[in-house]
Amino acid sequence: ALIKLNNNSISAVSALPSAIDTGKIGQVVQTVKTDTFSTASTSFTALTGLSVNITPTATSSKILIRTLISYGGDANVYGFGKLLKGSTDILIGDAGESSQTRATFPMMISAGDPSAGLFKSFHSGAEFLDSPSSTSQLTYSISCMTSASDRTLFINRASNNGNSNYIGRFASTITAMEVLA
């Protein structure tokens, strides 16, 4: 409970002043991916089964996107993930040197240990507040790639897929929340 001081006495506050805009969540939509996916593509490839559709109720609404990706890969894999709205990249880094990959988040395995990627799994993800100015259905999705075609990036599992208590299976999510104005 909130407490305020009133002429040297204390009383409970039952609500915030009406002038404070707290924002409200209008709807929440989530997709959970529990199966696996792999790619050795050096071009961004849709991460199948990990997209979410949401239809804003007002053009003034914002859409908060959150994603968490579980991944593993071959030793020395340098992977990249990208957030898209429809077919448009959103939340990617600025252009740098010509060979640098513009992406939303990294998905990399350390090069220090030759077997680093065999048993290990990691998490990466992003959060972005989009202002679509639309009441049409929107689709948000993830695409990913590796920097070399001889290195495979795995989603929801480690590179080693054997029968061992050192090896796990994981889940990834993408969530869209409508934030009302």
Side-chain angles (χ1 to χ4, degrees), residues 58-168:
T59 57
S60 58
S61 294
K62 296 182 184 297
I63 305 296
L64 180 62
I65 303 296
R66 289 182 172 168
T67 185
L68 181 67
I69 311 298
S70 297
Y71 71 95
D74 295 336
N76 300 325
V77 86
Y78 296 94
F80 304 92
K82 190 161 48 171
L83 179 62
L84 295 93
K85 177 172 60 179
S87 59
T88 303
D89 299 342
I90 56 175
L91 187 64
I92 61 171
D94 288 344
E97 299 299 323
S98 62
S99 62
Q100 292 178 337
T101 301
R102 297 179 69 197
T104 305
F105 51 88
M107 299 166 69
M108 299 182 182
I109 307 292
S110 169
D113 175 3
S115 63
L118 295 180
F119 299 102
K120 295 179 182 176
S121 295
F122 305 88
H123 286 93
S124 196
E127 181 174 275
F128 180 66
L129 186 61
D130 191 24
S131 301
S133 301
S134 173
T135 55
S136 298
Q137 180 178 285
L138 305 167
T139 300
Y140 294 91
S141 62
I142 302 295
S143 62
C144 55
M145 65 172 276
T146 65
S147 60
S149 60
D150 63 342
R151 301 283 186 246
T152 303
L153 178 68
F154 296 96
I155 304 300
N156 291 342
R157 56 165 272 210
S159 176
N160 186 321
N161 198 31
N163 186 10
S164 168
N165 62 346
Y166 293 104
I167 300 169

Side-chain angles (χ1 to χ4, degrees), residues 25-32 50-57 63-67 137-140 173-179:
I25 301 298
Q27 59 180 311
V28 178
V29 184
Q30 183 179 68
T31 299
V32 177
L50 199 62
S51 65
V52 66
N53 296 323
I54 190 167
T55 304
T57 58
I63 305 296
L64 180 62
I65 303 296
R66 289 182 172 168
T67 185
Q137 180 178 285
L138 305 167
T139 300
Y140 294 91
T173 63
I174 186 167
T175 306
M177 293 177 265
E178 181 181 12
V179 181

Side-chain angles (χ1 to χ4, degrees), residues 16 21 33 42 49 74 92:
L16 292 173
D21 182 14
K33 180 176 179 63
T42 57
D74 295 336
I92 61 171

